[in-house]
Amino acid sequence: MKKIFAVLMAICLMAGALCVTAFAAEADGVVLTVSGLTKDGTPVKIEDYTVFEDGWNFAMEKATDGKYLSNNQYYRIVVDLFADWKANEKGVFGDDDGVGFPEETIYIPEEAKVMLNMNGHTIDRGLGDRNRFDGEVIFIDEKADVIINGGKIGDAIARADDTNATFGTITGGNNDGGAGGIHIQDDARVTLNNVKIVNNVADGDYGAGIAVYDGAKFTMNGGGFINNKNNSYIADSWGIYALGAGIYIEDSTASFDNVLFEGNQFTYHVGNGAALYAYDSSVMMNKCKVVGNGKKNEADGTVGAKTIITIEDGEMFIKETDFIGNGDVAEFHYGETCLIDVDTYIGSSQISVDNCTFTQNNVGYIIDCVNQDITVTRSRFTDNKANVLHCSSDTETIFTDCVFNNNICTLRNGNYTFNVDFEGKGPTFVGCDMGNSTYNDRNRVQIENGGTGSIFGGGSSAMVVAFVALIASVAAIVVNVSSKKKAVSETADQAAESADEE
């Protein structure tokens, strides 16, 4: 008994010591710690700071000091946050005389190797509706190598709607000159783990949440883009447009794994890419969730979107991703609204979709493409207030082992689940369940290997006439061969059932 009591006392004393240590750190007012990371992954503490500005300036000085890093055998400078970091009431993080705060934003210099551990805290520029030039939260310069962990190193990756995970939050940017949340420059390498990009604004530019440019490599594991707003109205020789409310990607590579795209909107002009816009880029999405983007709501000042995702002159691979409740069709831009827009400007584009779910979306079309290759496998398109496909010219579109049902856009007459324009090859369906799908030209649709679904509503008069002729023939047999009336009737029923299945 005494031994058990002694053990319990020891545990209590240890717990007390840990509590004292934690309270001591808080009492000391440490908000930021700078460390050096050796090549074997060992962090070596350098200095504690009670003022964010002082600590960040010191960290960025050391991150750009090659001699210092070499002498201490540091591969990367590490910054740990121990409190929420909010800009002052003017939206200023630090004096722009310091190496860490040009234009008074949080700055990571060219070629710097930096890791930021947010430890579940928030970085908030606090601009709200007050747009300013260089109003992003974080600016990452050319060829920088940056890792931002929303929690701490080694946390399990979690999507932003996981209530049991720890996330860091980047919020409050409002930028006239680029992204509201994080602006990533040429050839940078940036990885975000469990980071939420929330309530940022692009005003007169691209990518309210994040903008990625020119040869950068961007990876996002977990976290998400939530309620970012593009408030742009850009007019030039190409027209009037706004691009990217969640993220804008140009001439870069981007990968998203377990990422949530929710409630990203346009607030001034109906734009392209409410969730994601990519130009001349390669994009991969895996196990993501895309929900409630590109909505129109006068009370919230949102105006809808032409597209939710646009890939232009590039490639996109989407796997195990759910698209739910996106878009808000309005007659004034009907025909241009789509969930996924595959487009070209000077090159070509291709998209592959595997094992994804599309439901309750409200757009003109789920997929809209011109002269591009599309491959869709093992995916489900059900209960959308939208038609599935609009394609034209030489598009090579193949659906394999997919399910379609109840995908109807009712804004005007002549809407079909699958709409093929101009002359050229129509879509091919291999082993698909077509449900109640319709076609503007059934003769240009190929259904192979056991595909099922109705042959009516397909826009093919030849098919309808053939079916009517079949019924007439059966009726004639019934009249002329009355002695076999029962057998013939049964045969007619079977033929009708077989035709329905085909």
Side-chain angles (χ1 to χ4, degrees), residues 450-463:
T452 62
S454 173
I455 65 173
F456 292 110
S460 173
S461 58
M463 184 65 71

Side-chain angles (χ1 to χ4, degrees), residues 383-420:
D383 300 317
N384 296 285
K385 292 182 179 179
N387 300 130
V388 173
L389 178 69
H390 175 246
C391 62
S392 59
S393 297
D394 295 326
T395 299
E396 181 76 21
T397 307
I398 301 175
F399 293 85
T400 304
D401 297 330
C402 294
V403 175
F404 307 94
N405 198 53
N406 198 30
N407 301 296
I408 302 171
C409 181
T410 58
L411 279 180
R412 65 180 185 181
N413 295 328
N415 282 285
Y416 302 96
T417 310
F418 300 98
N419 192 330
V420 184

Side-chain angles (χ1 to χ4, degrees), residues 304-495:
K306 291 183 179 179
T307 71
I308 307 305
I309 289 177
T310 290
I311 178 73
E312 182 175 356
D313 292 345
E315 59 183 10
M316 175 173 280
F317 307 93
I318 308 175
K319 185 176 181 180
E320 296 182 39
T321 292
D322 295 333
F323 295 84
I324 304 170
N326 298 283
D328 197 335
V329 171
E331 288 195 56
F332 74 90
H333 59 266
Y334 177 78
E336 297 178 335
T337 63
C338 56
L339 187 67
I340 300 175
D341 178 33
V342 188
D343 206 351
T344 60
Y345 171 52
I346 57 174
S348 62
S349 299
Q350 63 175 339
I351 184 169
S352 173
V353 178
D354 179 51
N355 199 19
C356 295
T357 297
F358 301 82
T359 188
Q360 300 173 32
N361 298 288
N362 185 15
V363 291
Y365 296 100
I366 301 297
I367 300 173
D368 189 8
C369 58
V370 179
N371 297 334
Q372 311 309 318
D373 294 338
I374 298 177
T375 302
V376 184
T377 55
R378 302 184 301 163
S379 296
R380 296 151 299 281
F381 302 79
T382 59
D383 300 317
N384 296 285
K385 292 182 179 179
N387 300 130
V388 173
L389 178 69
H390 175 246
C391 62
S392 59
S393 297
D394 295 326
T395 299
E396 181 76 21
T397 307
I398 301 175
F399 293 85
T400 304
D401 297 330
C402 294
V403 175
F404 307 94
N405 198 53
N406 198 30
N407 301 296
I408 302 171
C409 181
T410 58
L411 279 180
R412 65 180 185 181
N413 295 328
N415 282 285
Y416 302 96
T417 310
F418 300 98
N419 192 330
V420 184
D421 284 346
F422 312 119
E423 294 300 323
K425 186 177 181 181
T428 298
F429 302 92
V430 181
C432 295
D433 181 348
M434 306 306 297
N436 61 355
S437 297
T438 59
Y439 321 87
N440 74 313
D441 189 344
R442 178 63 178 81
N443 291 326
R444 294 168 65 192
V445 174
Q446 299 181 61
I447 299 179
E448 302 176 357
N449 297 347
T452 62
S454 173
I455 65 173
F456 292 110
S460 173
S461 58
M463 184 65 71
V464 175
V465 169
F467 193 83
V468 171
L470 174 63
I471 295 175
S473 298
V474 173
I477 293 171
V478 172
V479 171
N480 294 311
V481 192
S482 58
S483 62
K484 297 182 180 179
K485 180 177 180 181
K486 181 177 180 180
V488 171
S489 178
E490 291 174 351
T491 302
D493 290 342
Q494 293 170 1

Side-chain angles (χ1 to χ4, degrees), residues 239-274:
I240 300 171
Y241 53 90
L243 305 177
I247 184 168
Y248 174 85
I249 306 160
E250 180 179 311
D251 187 25
S252 298
T253 300
S255 175
F256 304 88
D257 189 71
N258 272 291
V259 175
L260 175 69
F261 297 80
E262 182 173 14
N264 301 288
Q265 316 293 355
F266 294 100
T267 54
Y268 191 81
H269 186 269
V270 175
N272 294 304

